[in-house]
Amino acid sequence: MHYEVFQIDGAIQLNIEGKLDATSGNAFQALVLKSLSKCRNLVIDFEKVTYMSSAGVRALVLGLKTAESKGGSLTVLSPQPQVKEVFKYSGLEKIMEIK
């Protein structure tokens, strides 16, 4: 997993690239939580994420709960079709904003 971090309009945006799996899941979770410690609104661009396992789902759920506890939000942008399927089958698409 590779990433870039940007500050945009009252939010932090993470551009993620690669796989979110058991190997990278903890690092992704730490990145999400670190970002939310600095700003209550987080936007994560998934355009270049090629795979996401339950480790990525766990990090997103924890991030969403953290953002909401601060009165903020977590938004996912541009997931690829194979990753969009994970959002669908995990139920994330029902609880999280995906654009």
Side-chain angles (χ1 to χ4, degrees), residues 56-84:
V57 171
R58 182 184 68 239
L60 288 172
V61 169
L62 184 57
L64 179 62
K65 287 182 177 186
T66 302
E68 288 178 343
S69 75
K70 299 174 148 206
S73 64
L74 191 153
T75 304
V76 172
L77 303 177
S78 308
Q80 296 296 316
Q82 66 275 19
V83 176
K84 196 178 278 189

Side-chain angles (χ1 to χ4, degrees), residues 37-53:
S37 74
K38 297 177 181 178
C39 187
R40 66 183 185 158
N41 297 308
L42 182 61
V43 176
I44 307 175
D45 189 332
F46 265 62
E47 184 177 7
K48 295 181 180 179
V49 174
T50 57
Y51 173 81
M52 183 171 71
S53 73

Side-chain angles (χ1 to χ4, degrees), residues 4-14 35 38-42:
E4 295 176 318
V5 181
F6 301 95
Q7 183 77 35
I8 55 159
D9 300 327
I12 290 178
Q13 179 169 329
L14 304 176
S35 298
K38 297 177 181 178
C39 187
R40 66 183 185 158
N41 297 308
L42 182 61

